[in-house]
Amino acid sequence: MKHPSFLQLDRMTLGGNTDEATAHHVQECAQCLAHLDRVTADRPIPAWAKDLGNPRRRRWANVWALAGATAAAGLGLVLGLAIDTADGPGMVTAKGSPAVGIYVKRDQRVSLWDGRSAVRPGDSLRLKVVPDGFSFVTVFTRSDRKHRDHGLLELHTAPVSPEGETILPVAWRVDDRAGDEVLFVVLSREPVPELADTDQLSEWSDSQNGWWTELNLQKSTNLEE
Amino acid sequence: MILAKCSRMLDDPDEAHDVAQETFTRLWARRRTVRDAKAVTAWLYRTSTRLAIDRLRLRARLEPDNGAEPAGPVDLEDQAAARMAIQTLCRRAPAKEMEVVLLSAVDGLTHVEISAVTGRSERTVRRLLASFQKRRPSRANGRQV
């Protein structure tokens, strides 16, 4: 009998049901048993995994993981960016009661994005959300800035307090590649599933009574602007 | 389990760890919606595969294109050959092709299982696999394009 797929083997380790023939094969097959032993072996819990359960310390512990993904989208992830969130003129709101604002840090100055000004390579962006009752926030960007229909790349997803305002714990650095920066911010009552494109995002949001907005940040390389 | 999956797709252990961590972190964010073993593993396979593809594409973007391409049709029965082909062809192969090839050649999933994990029909899965196997560099006037 051909080996079962790794998917079947992994499901077995999580208690999933399997057919009799597969179960018999696994019991007799050294290769399959070796895989099961490998994935069920006790391992020390890494520090980043422990931090997941501690909201105070929850952060993207491995910057390179997201740096890899977000670099593909043209934004560099910046960890631990301390922004002095002085009171600004107010949030840049989109439709509906929830709201999203973007803090832009350039050199050492922080300002609330006015919805029009261009950002520059090197600027750091940090989002503030007013969930107005929603309990999850997800941030996407386009996976390929050259093609608008090329899918979404998830940058951040996490539970969020439904009340008040929350500044997200991650920031992104604007790179110098051509093309505006586009962020999609989704507020929902359930975690957002894998979504292929904005059409799916819109359909899902409508079906789940979620809320989302698209933020287009024009990019300028003119240092005088 | 997640790390084993990622290690099969990515030959760089650091990248495999990164993708595994990102996958687990996303699973943690969705822990309240986790249902049964079948749904969880399908989600893990789909998510980790797509994150690995993002990483492969990023690597390809950062590394110079040395022109090395598979000499002939890609043998998807050979896991190592399939992984090498994916890494060299990821500049031009669509992500959906790469996804089904990784699940088929590297993880050994059947067409039915790939269909269940990706949400694509079995017919589409077969078509994507066939398309990837035929993928070759185009040549015009002796120069690779």
Side-chain angles (χ1 to χ4, degrees):
Chain A
M1 178 187 171
K2 191 179 172 185
H3 293 296
S5 66
F6 285 109
L7 178 72
Q8 274 184 290
L9 293 176
D10 290 340
R11 276 183 182 156
M12 290 174 66
T13 67
L14 296 179
N17 294 327
T18 190
D19 59 271
E20 198 173 313
T22 300
H24 178 74
H25 168 93
V26 170
Q27 287 174 2
E28 304 292 327
C29 176
Q31 195 171 334
C32 292
L33 284 172
H35 174 75
L36 293 180
D37 287 343
R38 241 186 338 264
V39 299
T40 56
D42 286 336
R43 294 177 190 273
I45 300 175
W48 61 262
K50 292 178 184 176
D51 284 346
L52 289 173
N54 186 343
R56 287 183 181 275
R57 295 178 60 195
R58 186 187 307 147
R59 61 188 183 279
W60 299 107
N62 187 334
V63 65
W64 303 116
L66 280 189
T70 56
L75 296 172
L77 179 67
V78 178
L79 265 192
L81 181 65
I83 294 181
D84 178 12
T85 56
D87 289 340
M91 300 285 283
V92 176
T93 61
K95 56 190 177 194
S97 298
V100 178
I102 303 179
Y103 285 103
V104 180
K105 183 174 182 180
R106 181 175 302 161
D107 300 320
Q108 296 303 314
R109 291 176 292 114
V110 177
S111 59
L112 190 62
W113 186 55
D114 60 9
R116 298 187 308 275
S117 301
V119 295
R120 289 187 204 161
D123 287 349
S124 290
L125 310 178
R126 198 163 175 186
L127 297 179
K128 180 164 73 173
V129 297
V130 180
D132 194 37
F134 291 105
S135 53
F136 282 88
V137 60
T138 306
V139 183
F140 296 96
T141 188
R142 294 197 191 282
S143 55
D144 184 339
R145 285 186 293 181
K146 292 181 182 176
H147 301 96
R148 292 182 62 85
D149 57 350
H150 266 220
L152 301 175
L153 180 67
E154 187 182 284
L155 297 179
H156 173 77
T157 186
V160 67
S161 170
E163 308 297 329
E165 301 175 345
T166 299
I167 297 175
L168 301 188
V170 293
W172 296 273
R173 178 159 286 142
V174 178
D175 73 348
D176 59 0
R177 276 192 274 187
D180 296 339
E181 302 296 350
V182 181
L183 297 175
F184 302 92
V185 181
V186 183
L187 292 169
S188 57
R189 293 182 176 81
E190 296 290 336
V192 177
E194 297 293 326
L195 296 170
D197 51 37
T198 50
D199 286 342
Q200 281 193 9
L201 169 58
S202 186
E203 286 175 15
W204 179 84
S205 179
D206 289 345
S207 69
Q208 300 293 323
N209 292 320
W211 180 93
W212 68 281
T213 187
E214 179 176 339
L215 303 169
N216 281 278
L217 293 88
Q218 187 181 6
K219 189 186 298 183
S220 169
T221 55
N222 180 1
L223 297 182
E224 297 302 317
E225 194 170 335
Chain B
M1 180 182 82
I2 301 174
L3 182 58
K5 163 87 169 91
C6 296
S7 298
R8 289 195 296 272
M9 296 185 290
L10 298 163
D11 50 8
D12 185 324
D14 290 336
E15 285 189 332
H17 273 91
D18 287 348
V19 172
Q21 179 180 340
E22 175 64 16
T23 304
F24 186 84
T25 303
R26 293 187 184 199
L27 177 64
W28 174 264
R30 288 164 169 75
R31 61 192 184 280
R32 293 190 183 88
T33 63
V34 166
R35 301 189 299 279
D36 55 24
K38 191 172 181 181
V40 169
T41 46
W43 186 92
L44 286 172
Y45 269 60
R46 185 170 60 248
T47 301
S48 61
T49 300
R50 291 176 180 176
L51 287 172
I53 290 170
D54 286 344
R55 188 58 67 96
L56 288 170
R57 284 179 177 267
L58 172 63
R59 190 201 294 174
R61 205 182 296 183
L62 297 176
E63 290 174 354
D65 186 353
N66 58 14
E69 299 285 357
V74 179
D75 179 7
L76 293 183
E77 294 295 319
D78 184 333
Q79 186 187 102
R83 191 168 64 190
M84 180 63 66
I86 289 166
Q87 292 178 6
T88 54
L89 290 172
C90 64
R91 281 188 177 84
R92 61 180 63 87
K96 51 189 176 182
E97 276 186 24
M98 294 172 63
E99 183 180 31
V100 298
V101 170
L102 281 170
L103 291 171
S104 172
V106 175
D107 294 328
L109 271 66
T110 63
H111 294 171
V112 173
E113 289 173 330
I114 296 174
S115 174
V117 167
T118 62
R120 297 193 175 92
S121 68
E122 288 179 51
R123 183 179 172 186
T124 299
V125 169
R126 283 193 293 272
R127 179 177 58 77
L128 291 171
L129 288 172
S131 177
F132 187 87
Q133 283 185 295
K134 294 176 190 170
R135 197 165 283 283
R136 291 253 225 308
S138 298
R139 293 189 181 275
N141 298 324
R143 295 187 63 186
Q144 186 171 342
V145 298

